[in-house]
Amino acid sequence: MLDLLLTNGIVATPSGGARLDVGIKDGTIVSLRASGHGVPDEATRVIDCAGKLIVPGGIDPHVHTNSVLPTAAESGIKCFGPDRVSEGAVYGGTTTLVDFAHWKPGDELEQSFKRKAAEWDGYSYTDYALHGTFNQPEIPFEVLDQIPDAVANGHGSYKVWMTDTTPTRPKQKTDIGHIWAIMERTAAAGAMLCVHGEDDDIVMYSYKKLQREGKIGLEYMSHAHNSLSEKLSFQRVITLAEHVGAPIYLMHVSAREGIEAIREARGRGQAVYGEILPHYAHFTEEDYRHEHGAIYHTYPSLKSADDRDAMWEALVAGTVSTLATDGVCTDFEVKTRGKTIIDATGGHAGVELRMAVAYTEGVHRRGLDLSRFVDLTSTNAAKILGLYPRKGVIAVGSDADLAVLDTNVRHKVTAADLHEADYTAWEGYEIAARNTMTVLRGKVIVEGGRLTTEPEGRLQEQRLSSDVASRPAC
Ligand SMILES: [Zn+2]
Ligand SMILES: [Zn+2]
C-alpha cells in the first residue's frame, strides 16, 4: 500500500515529459507507471493531477538568511531567516535551499556548520544544505586541514570571494594564494568550490574613479562592477582550477565575458559550472534608473541588454548550469534604503517566483525543453552540489520532492499574493506557470494555496560524484 499516488499528470523525467502515475512510500518515489494502464496501485491518498505538470521540487543553490546586511552593518539589520524564505520557497515549488555557513576566526570548521544548521533546524519548510564559507583574508593552515573531515561529514561545497565588493563593507575577500590552498583541499576531498568572481583591483579602482567624478548613483553600478572585472577574475580562477584540477562553480554570472570564459573552460574539458540569476536574464542596468531601482540590484550588477541576452543564450545552449536567486530577503524599506553604488543592498526577494519565471521565460517564451527547464531549476544544482540523485530528479529511489505546476494560467504577479517579502521585482509580470501543490519527502506541504505543515526541513549531506568533479557533466 502506497502512502500517496499522483495520477494522470505529465511527469518530467530525465527522458522528457510523460503521463505517469507517481507512487510514493516512506518519503521516496517507489513507482512510475504509465497512467491509465492496468489497475492503479492502492494508496492511502490518491490525487488526480490531470492537466498539470509534475516536476522535481526546485533547488535554489544560493540563498542567504539571517545575515547582517553588509551595507547596513552599523544598524545590525538582518535579512529574513529560514522560516520566511523557506515558506516563500515551498509556495513557489522549491523544496531545497542552500545557504552559507560562515567560518569565523577561532572556529573549528565543523562549528561553523553546526551554528548555521541550528538556525535552520526546526524553522525550515524546505530541506537545506550549507556551503562552507570562507570570507576572511587568510585562513589558518589548521583550519584548511579540517576541510577533508568536513567533506567526509557531508559538507560538500565551499565558497570564497575574490572581492570585498564595495570599499566600505566588512572585508570578505580571500587572496588568490589562500584560494589556491582551499581549492587544493576541496579538490582532493571531492568537494565543489563556489566562487564570487570579481577582480578586486578593478572594482576598488573603479569606485575611486567614480567617486572622484561624482558618479555614485545606482545607474553607475555596472561601471564599478564591470564586465572587465568579471572576465579577469573568471579567467584567473579558472586558470587556478585547471592547475589544481579542481571543479568550480561560478556564482551569479552577469556578463557575456563571464559566460565566454566558462564556455572556453568547458570546451577544454574543465569541470567549470556557471550560475545565472533570473533577473540578470531579464532586467538591465537601465532598470537602476527607476525610482526604486535598488529592488533590481544584486552584486555584481545588472549589465547591458547584450549581456542580458547572452544569459538566455547560455541557459538554452547549456553553457551555464543553474538558475539561482542569490536571495537576500528583506522588506522594501530595507531593500531601498541604500541609494548609491556604495550603500546599495545586494540580493533580493525572488525565491518564491524562481520556478514560475524560469518556466515563463524558458519554456513558454523560448521553447526550452522540459528536461532543460528541470535541469536549470533542480537537477543540475543537485548534481553540482552533491545532492543527486536523492534530490533533483523524479526517479524510483529518489526523495519524493515534487512541484505540481499549472501551466495553463496567465497570472499577473503582485507582491500581495506572495509570502516572502512586501515587494517583488516582478510586480506586474505575467507568469505562464503557477505552483499548485508541493510535496516534500512524500508529504503534501502546500495545497489549495495553503501551507499545511510544520517546518520539518532537514539538513542534507552533500556527496559530489567523481563525474561532476572531473568534467563539465551538466
Ligand atoms: Zn556572491
Ligand atoms: Zn550571494
Side-chain angles (χ1 to χ4, degrees):
M1 177 93 141
L2 300 170
D3 298 327
L4 179 64
L5 182 67
L6 305 183
T7 59
N8 297 313
I10 299 297
V11 179
T13 70
S15 50
R19 214 170 130 244
L20 299 173
D21 292 353
V22 185
I24 297 163
K25 188 164 178 61
D26 298 330
T28 305
I29 298 168
V30 295
S31 63
L32 288 167
R33 295 171 54 187
S35 299
H37 290 274
V39 183
D41 293 324
E42 275 190 43
T44 307
R45 185 174 178 199
V46 179
I47 301 173
D48 186 354
C49 297
K52 301 288 198 302
L53 174 64
I54 304 178
V55 297
I59 300 175
D60 190 334
H62 187 166
V63 301
H64 302 266
T65 66
N66 274 343
S67 36
V68 174
L69 299 172
T71 48
E74 77 294 343
S75 61
I77 296 174
K78 289 182 176 179
C79 60
F80 294 149
D83 50 349
R84 188 86 174 261
V85 179
S86 67
E87 184 182 349
V90 295
Y91 272 106
T94 289
T95 51
T96 301
L97 297 172
V98 189
D99 193 0
F100 297 83
H102 295 292
W103 174 80
K104 292 193 180 118
D107 275 358
E108 302 266 315
L109 193 49
E110 192 62 36
Q111 275 176 275
S112 49
F113 288 107
K114 286 213 167 76
R115 185 173 51 233
K116 193 66 191 178
E119 294 178 26
W120 280 81
D121 185 29
Y123 295 93
S124 179
Y125 297 97
T126 62
D127 281 345
Y128 55 94
L130 300 170
H131 303 289
T133 307
F134 297 108
N135 58 352
Q136 300 289 329
E138 270 194 41
I139 319 299
F141 281 107
E142 56 270 30
V143 174
L144 291 171
D145 291 342
Q146 291 164 11
I147 290 175
D149 281 346
V151 176
N153 287 340
H155 303 300
S157 64
Y158 296 82
K159 183 182 182 189
V160 292
W161 278 260
M162 298 178 79
T163 179
D164 289 326
T165 312
T166 78
T168 53
R169 283 182 170 218
K171 300 291 176 217
Q172 61 182 15
K173 181 186 87 167
T174 299
D175 71 65
I176 198 83
H178 283 85
I179 291 177
W180 182 19
I182 293 166
M183 199 184 269
E184 285 183 325
R185 286 157 179 82
T186 53
M192 183 62 66
L193 186 63
C194 311
V195 181
H196 177 127
E198 290 193 82
D199 186 282
D200 197 57
D201 292 345
I202 295 286
V203 170
M204 294 307 157
Y205 165 73
S206 300
Y207 269 100
K208 283 205 176 97
K209 179 168 174 280
L210 289 163
Q211 283 176 285
R212 182 166 187 254
E213 294 166 355
K215 295 177 176 172
I216 61 163
L218 281 180
E219 67 274 25
Y220 295 104
M221 192 64 89
S222 65
H223 298 234
H225 298 274
N226 53 48
S227 298
L228 176 64
S229 157
E230 184 158 310
K231 180 177 180 174
L232 287 171
S233 66
F234 278 27
Q235 288 178 340
R236 203 173 185 208
V237 76
I238 285 169
T239 303
L240 190 61
E242 186 176 30
H243 177 78
V244 172
I248 55 170
Y249 176 61
L250 293 160
M251 288 182 150
H252 44 52
V253 179
S254 69
R256 187 178 281 280
E257 283 85 343
I259 290 167
E260 198 48 36
I262 292 170
R263 199 184 59 74
E264 280 173 17
R266 290 168 68 90
R268 292 193 298 272
Q270 252 185 281
V272 173
Y273 301 94
E275 163 191 288
I276 282 177
L277 317 180
H279 73 303
Y280 280 177
H282 190 74
F283 301 106
T284 72
E285 59 199 352
E286 292 304 312
D287 291 295
Y288 286 135
R289 296 178 185 276
H290 292 179
E291 186 188 357
H292 301 298
I295 65 172
Y296 305 105
H297 178 57
T298 293
Y299 293 100
S301 84
L302 293 164
K303 294 198 168 58
S304 70
D306 178 63
D307 293 298
R308 176 201 58 197
D309 294 346
M311 300 293 145
W312 269 107
E313 287 167 29
L315 287 166
V316 172
T319 313
V320 294
S321 304
T322 64
L323 267 170
T325 59
D326 199 353
V328 177
C329 196
T330 68
D331 274 330
F332 178 82
E333 187 276 326
V334 171
K335 179 60 181 153
T336 56
R337 66 205 291 275
K339 313 273 187 218
T340 73
I341 58 173
I342 316 287
D343 66 358
T345 297
H348 63 283
V351 171
E352 186 166 352
L353 282 172
R354 185 184 65 107
M355 300 280 281
V357 170
Y359 187 92
T360 307
E361 292 294 320
V363 182
H364 180 64
R365 293 227 173 117
R366 293 174 175 83
L368 191 71
D369 286 354
L370 195 53
S371 58
R372 184 77 190 132
F373 164 76
V374 170
D375 283 347
L376 292 172
T377 54
S378 183
T379 310
N380 288 352
K383 288 180 175 172
I384 292 164
L385 300 179
L387 299 166
Y388 188 86
R390 185 166 18 96
K391 302 294 189 189
V393 62
I394 298 178
V396 170
S398 294
D399 280 2
D401 295 352
L402 305 166
V404 181
L405 307 181
D406 181 351
T407 58
N408 298 309
V409 290
R410 297 293 174 269
H411 175 77
K412 274 206 173 23
V413 169
T414 182
D417 291 346
L418 302 174
H419 307 82
E420 199 181 355
D422 66 355
Y423 80 96
T424 171
W426 302 93
E427 188 73 38
Y429 174 83
E430 190 175 79
I431 49 174
R434 208 175 183 191
N435 182 48
T436 63
M437 180 181 291
T438 309
V439 179
L440 177 69
R441 280 180 274 102
K443 182 176 179 182
V444 176
I445 61 170
V446 171
E447 187 176 16
R450 287 184 47 234
L451 187 63
T452 56
T453 183
E454 295 298 306
E456 295 169 354
R458 293 182 194 159
L459 179 64
Q460 301 295 306
E461 286 190 359
Q462 299 170 252
R463 309 238 176 243
L464 195 62
S465 83
S466 56
D467 187 40
V468 171
S470 60
R471 67 175 188 98
C474 65

